[in-house]
Amino acid sequence: MKIHPLNTDIPKPERFTYPFCYEPHPLAVLAAEEVKRELSKMHLTEGKMFGVLVVEGGFLAAYSGLLEGRNDWEYFVPPVFDAQQPDGHFKQTEREISLLSHTSPLTAKKMSQDLQLWLFHQYQFLNARSETKDLIDVWQAYHCSPRIRKRYPLPPGGTGDCCAPKLLQYAYQHGLRPICMAEFWWGPSPKSEVRHHGQFYPACRGKCKPVLTWMLQGLDVDPNPEEAGFPHLVPEIIYEDEAMAVVNKPSGLLSVPGRAEDYSVATWAREKWSDAIPAHRLDMWTSGLLVIAKTKEVYTNLQEQFVKRTVRKRYIAVLDGVPSQQEGRIELPLLSDPLNRPRQVVDFKRGKSSVTEYKCMAVANSHTLIALYPHTGRTHQLRVHCAHKDGLGCPILGDELYGRKESADRLCLHSDRLELIHPVTGQQMQFELPYPFGNLIPYNNK
């Protein structure tokens, strides 16, 4: 078997890891360190996601997809289905399709579609109850909504080849009891996604969530923290008149209702002012200045200012690292990753333009206090611009999507300055709010 020893007296967790939002258990961290030592001997040329599954008696290791073009590395568990055998049906048919693609393209296309369906049916996934479903059944059972089913009738290529399905499948096949799991990136960062060498990441949602939802059945799994609800935090009113209000939104409060949580700045504001509408948004984990319109007319006026980019905004952040340049401008085209929401990726062909200017303010203990001036308002713009290798290459402290959640007890990003034209009086207004993580890097000269 592919099981590796893990000699430790670290206590086991009460429940198995919820793979889409987790803090790595110390047992998984220890297992990952063993895998990293093995990887350091292999002289790999590509970046790759690796995973560990701690089981009774040791741990298993896996990589996503192929590793250096191979899926038969001795140290790691095998794929759920091996389509790479040169004399197997998949590879033989691929060669036939390639020969036909020039002479009979329609025939080749039909053969390619049939081959893909055949391949999906070869992926037979177990769960902890020893039940089996193939990939098509797993996918369609998860995407039961007709609207979603119509948009994603079949799984994307590569579904089932990520770390977590490989690990669980091998454990179930060999009667091993899963205890905890974690995934980490090793090697150079990819061009589009934000991935940092050696850091832990959640399982991908688009490909893995349907599969793991099935495979985890029968295990006692940690609850999904995104469905556990959040405390009903109350914004602090910084300024108010008959037309509008400016509030300090706490980290951990939505700007508008989300899919799993109704309470937000918007619902709180409507309880105070019946026609209130937030004029813009901040990420849930970002704190700071947020403008609320008290009437539809005021909302329209403020929206126009935001659309025309006449509103001037500044954010303060603490970075996990020190940028190579102390000030400058970042321009990266961003695109939502439909199979891994809410993550954003850099896409130079289809992405929307996003621009941020920045200036470093102070450095201490390998952390940087930085001022960020966004000229556009794309989702997660500042977080991606800071973390991506073609941006600053230094994620914001506490960023669980693009950096390390465990680096701080919150996302260290705060909207501290806002300038706009009053929608009724026409007066130029400026609001400032001290950032709440001055204990990390004090800075007085604003």
Side-chain angles (χ1 to χ4, degrees):
M1 285 199 298
K2 302 284 188 177
I3 190 168
H4 307 288
L6 194 64
N7 300 314
T8 178
D9 56 1
I10 296 174
K12 302 170 186 175
E14 293 182 5
R15 293 180 295 269
F16 189 71
T17 312
Y18 179 72
F20 305 102
C21 185
Y22 66 91
E23 292 280 356
H25 188 273
L27 282 171
V29 174
L30 186 62
E33 291 304 316
E34 292 291 330
V35 177
K36 290 175 183 178
R37 277 191 278 274
E38 185 71 20
L39 292 174
S40 65
K41 306 172 188 176
M42 295 175 66
H43 307 293
L44 303 174
T45 60
E46 61 178 330
K48 182 68 64 176
M49 193 71 79
F50 292 84
V52 292
L53 175 65
V54 178
V55 297
E56 290 287 356
F59 72 91
L60 307 172
Y63 49 84
S64 289
L66 300 176
L67 181 60
E68 304 288 332
R70 292 170 48 190
N71 62 6
D72 58 352
W73 294 87
E74 184 65 27
Y75 186 84
F76 301 95
V77 301
V80 175
F81 177 75
D82 187 0
Q84 300 300 311
Q85 293 299 319
D87 297 326
H89 174 73
F90 186 80
K91 284 298 181 182
Q92 285 188 25
T93 309
E94 263 195 338
R95 289 192 288 269
E96 290 179 35
I97 292 170
S98 179
L99 291 173
L100 286 169
S101 61
H102 298 294
T103 58
S104 303
L106 293 179
T107 301
K109 182 178 180 181
K110 177 64 166 58
M111 287 180 64
S112 180
Q113 292 170 342
D114 291 344
L115 182 62
Q116 187 66 68
L117 282 174
W118 176 87
L119 181 61
F120 288 153
H121 286 301
Q122 306 316 301
Y123 281 78
Q124 301 283 328
F125 294 104
L126 286 162
N127 65 17
R129 301 189 185 111
S130 298
E131 300 166 331
T132 303
K133 273 187 180 182
D134 73 30
L135 180 53
I136 297 289
D137 289 339
V138 166
W139 185 265
Q140 294 185 347
Y142 180 82
H143 291 298
C144 53
S145 161
R147 182 178 63 85
I148 300 298
R149 178 83 65 85
K150 183 178 180 181
R151 187 174 182 183
Y152 301 111
L154 293 172
T159 302
D161 289 325
C162 294
C163 302
K166 290 182 179 180
L167 291 165
L168 288 170
Q169 185 82 351
Y170 189 88
Y172 294 151
Q173 287 174 334
H174 293 84
L176 302 171
R177 188 172 77 84
I179 294 172
C180 59
M181 183 167 59
E183 297 183 40
F184 63 91
W185 182 264
W186 187 265
S189 297
K191 292 181 179 180
S192 60
E193 293 183 274
V194 175
R195 292 285 186 261
H196 294 280
H197 179 68
Q199 291 190 12
F200 290 97
Y201 291 95
C204 68
R205 292 173 182 264
K207 293 182 180 180
C208 284
K209 197 162 188 182
V211 174
L212 295 185
T213 297
W214 164 254
M215 298 189 81
L216 293 174
Q217 290 182 23
L219 288 182
D220 185 12
V221 181
D222 284 335
N224 177 0
E226 296 173 344
E227 295 178 353
F230 298 94
H232 284 196
L233 304 172
V234 178
E236 175 190 4
I237 299 174
I238 304 300
Y239 171 85
E240 181 185 1
D241 61 27
E242 293 183 356
M244 64 181 230
V246 179
V247 302
N248 177 14
K249 186 191 84 66
S251 175
L253 177 61
L254 290 166
S255 295
V256 297
R259 286 178 295 177
E261 177 66 40
D262 288 331
Y263 181 76
S264 64
V265 174
T267 54
W268 169 85
R270 280 197 298 271
E271 291 178 0
K272 294 185 68 66
W273 311 293
S274 59
D275 295 324
I277 312 172
H280 59 119
R281 301 181 187 184
L282 297 177
D283 282 351
M284 179 176 183
W285 302 109
T286 302
S287 60
L289 295 166
L290 186 69
V291 184
I292 298 171
K294 290 188 176 182
T295 68
K296 290 182 180 179
E297 293 76 17
V298 169
Y299 172 77
T300 300
N301 180 289
L302 291 170
Q303 274 283 289
E304 186 176 1
Q305 292 187 51
F306 279 100
V307 169
K308 291 183 176 179
R309 301 175 184 173
T310 58
V311 178
R312 300 180 63 185
K313 297 173 286 184
R314 185 177 82 166
Y315 291 74
I316 299 295
V318 179
L319 305 183
D320 190 2
V322 181
S324 58
Q325 301 292 328
Q326 293 299 294
E327 59 182 289
R329 181 183 176 97
I330 303 165
E331 298 186 42
L332 291 174
L334 301 182
L335 182 70
S336 176
D337 184 350
L339 293 175
N340 205 11
R341 295 185 186 276
R343 293 183 65 93
Q344 306 293 305
V345 297
V346 173
D347 190 316
F348 286 94
K349 290 184 177 179
R350 298 176 297 157
K352 294 181 179 179
S353 170
S354 64
V355 179
T356 303
E357 293 187 11
Y358 68 92
K359 183 174 183 180
C360 297
M361 303 165 70
V363 175
N365 302 318
S366 299
H367 295 155
T368 304
L369 186 70
I370 192 168
L372 302 165
Y373 304 89
H375 292 276
T376 51
R378 308 299 180 200
T379 300
H380 294 179
Q381 173 177 319
L382 299 180
R383 296 167 70 175
V384 176
H385 281 189
C386 289
H388 197 272
K389 64 184 182 65
D390 293 330
L392 297 179
C394 302
I396 297 172
L397 278 182
D399 191 340
E400 63 180 340
L401 282 181
Y402 307 104
R404 296 184 298 125
K405 181 180 180 180
E406 67 272 16
S407 63
D409 59 6
R410 58 154 292 179
L411 178 70
C412 292
L413 179 62
H414 178 75
S415 172
D416 87 314
R417 183 182 296 171
L418 191 66
E419 297 180 29
L420 51 78
I421 303 296
H422 192 281
V424 175
T425 67
Q427 178 185 358
Q428 180 78 33
M429 305 191 75
Q430 178 175 302
F431 304 95
E432 292 195 25
L433 192 62
Y435 62 93
F437 27 82
N439 60 312
L440 296 174
I441 304 182
Y443 186 80
N444 297 318
N445 181 20
K446 294 187 180 181

